[in-house]
Amino acid sequence: MKLRSYMLIGFFLSLLLSILPFSGNFTNAAIPTAVAPVSAVSFTQGVQKTVLDNGLTVLTKEVHTAPVVSVQVWYKVGSRNEVKGESGISHQLEHLMFKGTTARPVQFGRLFSALGSQFNAFTSYDETAYFGTVQQDKLEALLTLEADRMENSLIGPEQLTSEKRVVISELQGYENSPSYRLSRAVMRAAFPNRAYGLPVGGTKADVEKFTVEQVRNYYQTYYSPENATLVITGDFDTEPVLKVVKETYGKLTNRGKEGTGTQGRRGVVRQNITASSPVAPTTKKAPIVLQQPGSAALLQAVYPLPDIKHPDVPAIDVMDAILTGGRSSRLYQALVESGLASSVSGSPAELIEPGWYEINATAAPGQELGKIAQVLQESLAKLQEQPVTTEELNRAKTQLQASFVLGNQDITSQAIQLGYNEIVAGDYRFIEQYLAAIAKVTPAQVQKVAKTYLNPAKQTIGFFEPTQPDGKPGTSSAGSGRTVENFSPGKPVDPAELAKYLPPATSATDSGKQSLPEEFTLNNGLRVLLLRDRSLPTINLSGQIDAGTEFDGNQKAGLANLTATNLMNGTQTKNALDLAKTLEDRGADLDFSASREGVNISGKGLSVNLPILIQTLADVLENATFPAEQLELSRQRALTSLKVQLDDPRGLGRQVFQQAIYPENHPFHSFPTDESLKTITRDDLLGFYQTHYRPDSTTIAIVGDFDPLKVKLLLYQAFGKWSATGKPPVLEIPSVALPKTLTRLNKVIPGKAEAVTYIGYNGISRKDPRYYAALMLNQILGGDTLSSRLGTEVRDRQGLTYGIYSGFAAGINPGPFLIQMQTAPGDAQKAIASTLALLKQLREQGVTEAEFNTAKRSITNSYPVDLANPSDVSSIILNNAVFGLSRSEIRDFPQRIQAVTMAQMQQAIEDLIKPENLVIVTAGPGEAASKGS
């Protein structure tokens, strides 16, 4: 099964802590039809399944491509198992699993970070999963920590009280999203008597009522060996690792009570739902209509589906790919290319119990949701009435098959695939029969499932009609710079105290010598970096063109991005649909987006498709035609995107923050407006393209399974005739002084539940000699929500935020240093005061030797995990080149971190931490503005 976004609705400990999407297409990638279907054997080959005496299932898979390992524990419990009044208890427990154990009463995020683990967790409908990826010598340490919290987690009044506030902050953050609110209403109507009809995160009312006894009982019931699967993938030897697993996990007691499957606890029998059980109404239901503050108009349609093991599932997934799999798909052509919608997506949720198929669309400006619903129904009816073409069928199969290869390039993803199949489908080998069935799907089967499951009488449809469609925020105010309350932060956590709870590493890892990319420049100035990686039959391409938004200017703000997004709309020999089919038919994906300092190029596919990637890239970079009708469609999408951004506290807050740091005449001040987007003409795009899209302004990095000599020849053939006259445009970026005093700004957005705050000022560039010290400083301050000073104080001790982090946006030029947090409106002021106090404490007292050494280890230990993912490696190589760093930087980076001295760290604090010069911007509901101003 594809791992779709519905899995990831729970607690997600990511660096950016953004609200996760609730639907979306799978990766647009494919295998050429001339290539044999993907063999599922490669996904399960070498997997060994062991069941311990206490019932724990262990899946091991040796992958010796990099010196890293992934350890994951999957529990067969999710929101499906919750009874009335307990909505969200699985998710609440997931939070508490990081609060420590009886033997290790410390925040587990700090332990994982100290190991250099890239860790995460999520709760979904059927499962809760915890995973970490580390250097191979930390494998036993991760196993020890996961075994400890399987049996000994601390679930007490103090932990629950603190983490309830955090969960409610998370839920309220979701409430900021109109699509979340619409989805909640539609799902509740579609499944009124089933747990799947409620949000995975739960409801605020239920979360507030959870008791310690209730959560402990849930933990005792479900977090038991016989209800769990341990997955280990990576660079290890199976037999000795299994011996450690048996010693570590074999002694854990089987404490599960009745009903860890479809039965409820304490004798409450859950409804026994079969594949045919979704009862369809005899007549079509009226749409659910939400009229609330928001920006864009939204549509969501939901149809009941069978469970994951039903024989119709492969045909359903092929049907979804035909409907929503990329630009050539039916619904994209019917809704987006027609100008009715700005976006459309589809997602089948095939779970332990019968699931659903959902279709989401965002209306283009001025378009009626009723018309979109009508065209949607016409498209679905056509699929039911006429067999799909062979071309469509092959393209859909190709996309589905290749999504597994491209989605499993790193060992973390491979472990997730195994865990998901074992827990939800009941067999890690499920993918074998699934892919075999995909290859055999016929047009008749697609037509049959369309008739069976896309029945209008079974449809639940919802409309979100914004009551503030202009997307403009309400009022704003500036504060005096004084905070309402004084706050004294607690002492920083002592890493030496932490160290006594840390399991030892087995031995020092010899990471080996990282291969360096080969670099060369074509005669026209195009710079290329190549790194061969034969471990997988894939290609990852990253690139940058010096044509970013810094060249926009305020009058034409949005020009760089409109130019980038229109590249794929046609060339001298191919129109937009031809370009889309060229890629989607052959397993390649190519995207362009403008950022502050350049246009980002992202491409991927199977290695056999590298020629297609390069030829298409060359065609659009040299021969784009910018058709007028496509420009108008992309302009409408940009206007919709702008409205959504201005209606999102994160998007609006970041814009106001950046414009407060950089004066109006500064290139980084420019952001699109309704007016600027409407004034951009086709001539503007052509002029920008001809001026800025040049070979001597372009850098490309390619990582994957290829013959370097053949790739060079291909590049010379594809790009050899691309030329430019004169020298490329260069911007002089003026230096920016820090604000003379602390500055407060507040922006009100009606209808929001949670506030987002940005704190910071202009920072440093990537080539600044203080960069490595700044990276370590940031690791200590707020580089990780669970292990940093900000996370320890504002999140863990006070429970004021779901997520808080800091970062240096260090590019070719200095970018912002910023702290971002999400809080309840009433907590914003206290969280800001706490943050300011922490910055003053850092400035006045510095960091300890133990913190310094722990940060150094954490960064260097984590780096090999980045290098184990070919997609990440292509980005690292590209960025190093664009920033003007040496080719050897990819290998030397850990040594540069190790070389930082305590004196350099203290100097970085003195230079870069300025609590008295901060810009503070809070965006969200009105209460936040009134309390914060």
Side-chain angles (χ1 to χ4, degrees):
M1 286 303 301
K2 302 187 297 297
L3 301 181
R4 298 186 184 82
S5 52
Y6 62 76
M7 282 179 58
L8 306 177
I9 294 171
F11 174 41
F12 215 81
L13 303 172
S14 64
L15 177 65
L16 296 180
L17 284 161
S18 58
I19 296 174
L20 296 166
F22 287 81
S23 65
N25 295 338
F26 48 81
T27 305
N28 267 339
I31 311 183
T33 51
V35 173
V38 171
S39 168
V41 175
S42 60
F43 298 103
T44 57
Q45 190 170 21
V47 176
Q48 183 170 325
K49 180 174 180 177
T50 307
V51 180
L52 304 190
D53 291 343
N54 59 8
L56 179 72
T57 298
V58 184
L59 301 176
T60 53
K61 181 182 182 181
E62 295 182 25
V63 185
H64 298 289
T65 54
V68 295
V69 290
S70 188
V71 172
Q72 305 186 4
V73 178
W74 290 64
Y75 294 96
K76 192 173 182 177
V77 60
S79 61
R80 177 181 69 91
N81 303 84
E82 295 164 2
V83 297
K84 187 176 180 181
E86 287 188 344
S87 174
I89 194 169
S90 303
H91 176 234
Q92 179 70 75
L93 176 56
E94 180 216 317
H95 276 240
L96 290 166
M97 289 288 284
F98 286 87
K99 302 296 275 186
T101 64
T102 50
R104 296 179 175 86
V106 292
Q107 166 58 255
F108 263 46
R110 297 188 71 88
L111 296 174
F112 293 137
S113 182
L115 290 171
S117 175
Q118 294 189 8
F119 65 98
N120 223 317
F122 69 81
T123 305
S124 191
Y125 296 97
D126 294 333
E127 75 278 6
T128 307
Y130 304 83
F131 44 103
T133 303
V134 291
Q135 290 188 93
Q136 61 187 177
D137 61 310
K138 314 295 191 306
L139 170 58
E140 288 190 28
L142 268 193
L143 289 171
T144 300
L145 291 174
E146 289 296 353
D148 189 14
R149 64 176 175 173
M150 182 180 283
E151 185 159 87
N152 304 308
S153 279
L154 282 176
I155 302 172
E158 182 182 347
Q159 291 85 6
L160 182 57
T161 300
S162 162
E163 216 57 32
K164 269 188 187 183
R165 291 190 72 174
V166 172
V167 167
I168 290 169
S169 170
E170 179 184 355
L171 298 180
Q172 295 293 92
Y174 295 149
E175 291 289 331
N176 282 351
S177 166
S179 61
Y180 173 83
R181 301 199 300 270
L182 177 63
S183 177
R184 183 180 57 193
V186 170
M187 290 295 291
R188 195 169 287 174
F191 304 107
N193 301 311
R194 297 180 54 197
Y196 285 166
L198 292 172
V200 170
T203 64
K204 182 181 177 183
D206 279 359
V207 170
E208 286 174 335
K209 292 184 291 189
F210 290 152
T211 65
V212 171
E213 182 186 16
Q214 197 177 9
V215 180
R216 275 183 188 160
N217 182 52
Y218 202 81
Y219 172 65
Q220 292 290 336
T221 300
Y222 290 109
Y223 279 55
S224 185
E226 86 292 348
N227 201 47
T229 296
L230 170 66
V231 186
I232 310 168
T233 56
D235 192 17
F236 64 91
D237 293 321
T238 301
E239 288 312 311
V241 165
L242 277 179
K243 184 181 178 185
V244 172
V245 167
K246 289 170 183 174
E247 291 170 354
T248 310
Y249 289 81
K251 60 188 178 186
L252 302 183
T253 54
N254 180 336
R255 37 175 224 280
K257 301 173 186 176
E258 64 171 326
T260 50
T262 55
Q263 285 199 324
R265 288 160 293 123
R266 298 179 294 280
V268 180
V269 179
R270 296 185 58 84
Q271 180 184 356
N272 186 17
I273 303 170
T274 64
S276 59
S277 69
V279 179
T282 53
T283 57
K284 190 175 180 180
K285 292 184 279 189
I288 295 159
V289 179
L290 297 187
Q291 292 180 324
Q292 298 174 358
S295 51
L298 308 173
L299 173 150
Q300 183 178 45
V302 166
Y303 304 84
L305 285 185
D307 63 77
I308 191 171
K309 294 182 181 179
H310 194 282
D312 283 346
V313 161
I316 290 168
D317 287 359
V318 171
M319 175 190 76
D320 170 50
I322 290 168
L323 286 173
T324 66
R327 188 168 189 168
S328 63
S329 65
R330 290 195 177 192
L331 291 184
Y332 191 97
Q333 290 294 313
L335 295 175
V336 181
E337 292 288 1
S338 69
L340 285 173
S342 291
S343 64
V344 64
S345 62
S347 181
E350 293 134 350
L351 307 169
I352 290 176
E353 294 176 6
W356 62 93
Y357 181 56
E358 70 177 69
I359 298 171
N360 293 277
T362 301
Q367 297 295 335
E368 295 292 327
L369 291 171
K371 177 64 174 174
I372 294 174
Q374 177 190 335
V375 174
L376 169 63
Q377 185 52 50
E378 290 169 357
S379 299
L380 300 184
K382 184 178 178 183
L383 188 64
Q384 294 167 332
E385 293 160 6
Q386 301 171 15
V388 299
T389 66
T390 302
E391 179 190 13
E392 285 180 298
L393 187 69
N394 288 340
R395 185 184 306 126
K397 290 180 180 182
T398 293
Q399 289 177 324
L400 283 166
Q401 291 170 334
S403 68
F404 286 97
V405 180
L406 295 168
N408 282 281
Q409 293 189 79
D410 59 285
I411 62 162
T412 303
S413 299
Q414 292 177 40
I416 288 173
Q417 185 73 60
L418 293 171
Y420 181 77
N421 283 334
E422 183 67 23
I423 289 290
V424 179
D427 185 355
Y428 74 88
R429 294 164 301 191
F430 175 78
I431 188 174
E432 297 175 16
Q433 66 192 65
Y434 171 79
L435 284 176
I438 289 287
K440 295 175 184 175
V441 170
T442 65
Q445 288 174 314
V446 174
Q447 191 175 10
K448 173 178 172 285
V449 295
K451 285 180 178 177
T452 304
Y453 301 107
L454 302 182
N455 184 341
K458 296 180 181 180
Q459 177 197 71
T460 305
I461 192 167
F463 298 157
F464 180 88
E465 297 177 349
T467 56
Q468 193 178 349
D470 58 4
K472 293 179 181 176
T475 59
S476 63
S477 61
S480 64
R482 285 179 291 177
T483 54
V484 173
E485 46 192 304
N486 293 315
F487 176 78
S488 296
K491 288 184 178 180
V493 176
D494 181 5
E497 176 71 14
L498 194 76
K500 68 185 184 184
Y501 300 120
L502 207 58
T506 50
S507 62
T509 297
D510 178 14
S511 298
K513 287 290 184 182
Q514 167 64 38
S515 299
L516 299 184
E518 177 185 0
E519 181 174 354
F520 59 95
T521 303
L522 303 189
N523 294 334
N524 56 13
L526 176 70
R527 190 158 50 144
V528 180
L529 298 109
L530 299 179
L531 183 62
R532 191 176 192 180
D533 178 355
R534 308 204 67 178
S535 60
L536 290 164
T538 59
I539 293 295
N540 294 274
L541 184 151
S542 298
Q544 179 163 313
I545 308 157
D546 300 335
T549 61
E550 62 186 2
F551 288 106
D552 275 356
N554 292 326
Q555 299 305 311
K556 297 289 183 181
L559 175 57
N561 202 52
L562 269 182
T563 305
T565 55
N566 273 271
L567 288 173
M568 296 293 292
N569 282 337
T571 65
Q572 292 170 11
T573 56
K574 291 182 177 178
N575 64 25
L577 185 56
D578 291 335
L579 285 169
K581 287 181 177 179
T582 297
L583 295 168
E584 291 166 12
D585 283 352
R586 293 172 172 82
D589 185 50
L590 189 60
D591 294 304
F592 301 87
S593 62
S595 60
R596 195 173 65 231
E597 294 183 322
V599 169
N600 306 311
I601 306 169
S602 175
K604 58 185 173 183
L606 299 188
S607 51
V608 70
N609 293 316
L610 180 57
I612 293 295
L613 262 180
I614 290 177
Q615 289 158 9
T616 305
L617 176 61
D619 192 18
V620 298
L621 291 185
E622 298 175 49
N623 306 308
T625 53
F626 303 100
E629 70 278 5
Q630 288 290 346
L631 169 58
E632 288 311 309
L633 289 173
S634 61
R635 188 199 315 277
Q636 295 305 308
R637 291 195 288 271
L639 288 166
T640 302
S641 177
L642 175 63
K643 289 178 181 179
V644 171
Q645 179 188 338
L646 295 178
D647 185 53
D648 184 343
R650 294 169 303 171
L652 178 63
R654 180 61 190 265
Q655 176 175 326
V656 172
F657 171 75
Q658 189 146 323
Q659 292 186 324
I661 293 174
Y662 300 105
E664 196 169 337
N665 62 350
H666 195 283
F668 294 175
H669 182 91
S670 172
F671 278 82
T673 64
D674 217 56
E675 294 74 23
S676 70
L677 287 171
K678 288 176 179 175
T679 62
I680 293 171
T681 66
R682 179 174 179 270
D683 286 343
D684 290 328
L685 262 68
L686 281 168
F688 192 87
Y689 177 69
Q690 289 160 1
T691 301
H692 296 284
Y693 283 67
R694 309 164 48 106
D696 51 359
S697 296
T698 302
T699 306
I700 296 170
I702 305 175
V703 175
D705 184 15
F706 54 77
D707 180 329
L709 290 176
K710 289 182 180 177
V711 172
K712 285 182 188 177
L713 180 61
L714 194 61
L715 289 165
Y716 279 107
Q717 290 172 342
F719 291 102
K721 294 179 182 178
W722 190 20
S723 62
T725 57
K727 293 187 176 180
V730 176
L731 268 182
E732 289 297 326
I733 305 290
S735 58
V736 176
L738 298 184
K740 289 188 171 66
T741 59
L742 188 142
T743 304
R744 291 292 306 271
L745 297 167
N746 297 291
K747 283 287 183 180
V748 181
I749 311 180
K752 301 304 170 187
E754 198 82 342
V756 175
T757 298
Y758 291 90
I759 301 173
Y761 36 63
N762 192 38
I764 60 174
S765 71
R766 176 61 178 86
K767 288 190 79 174
D768 191 297
R770 300 167 293 184
Y771 174 77
Y772 300 100
L775 208 58
M776 289 179 55
L777 162 63
N778 187 69
Q779 178 73 15
I780 294 167
L781 174 64
D784 184 285
T785 288
L786 293 187
S787 65
S788 63
R789 285 193 181 186
L790 286 170
T792 297
E793 188 63 58
V794 184
R795 186 193 190 281
D796 251 19
R797 285 182 182 155
Q798 299 183 63
L800 295 175
T801 177
Y802 166 51
I804 182 168
Y805 72 94
S806 63
F808 287 90
I812 300 168
N813 300 287
F817 162 72
L818 60 85
I819 297 167
Q820 179 186 339
M821 67 180 106
Q822 167 190 305
T823 59
D827 289 338
Q829 184 55 43
K830 188 174 181 183
I832 291 168
S834 303
T835 301
L836 297 185
L838 280 164
L839 289 172
K840 289 173 184 173
Q841 180 191 63
L842 181 62
R843 170 78 191 204
E844 292 165 4
Q845 301 174 19
V847 301
T848 66
E849 192 80 34
E851 281 183 303
F852 175 78
N853 291 329
T854 299
K856 190 173 281 192
R857 281 195 302 271
S858 180
I859 294 171
T860 55
N861 287 345
S862 175
Y863 188 63
V865 180
D866 293 327
L867 298 184
N869 186 332
S871 178
D872 289 346
V873 170
S874 70
S875 297
I876 292 169
I877 289 171
L878 174 75
N879 289 334
N880 287 345
V882 168
F883 294 147
L885 304 171
S886 162
R887 273 190 314 131
S888 63
E889 174 69 15
I890 190 170
R891 186 163 66 197
D892 297 342
F893 174 79
Q895 286 73 43
R896 297 192 191 281
I897 293 292
Q898 292 288 2
V900 174
T901 65
M902 179 61 97
Q904 289 172 325
M905 167 71 83
Q906 300 296 10
Q907 188 63 50
I909 293 171
E910 188 175 329
D911 293 348
L912 303 175
I913 301 299
K914 307 282 188 181
E916 65 280 5
N917 303 113
L918 292 164
V919 172
I920 304 173
V921 174
T922 298
E927 298 92 330
S930 62
K931 289 175 184 295
S933 58

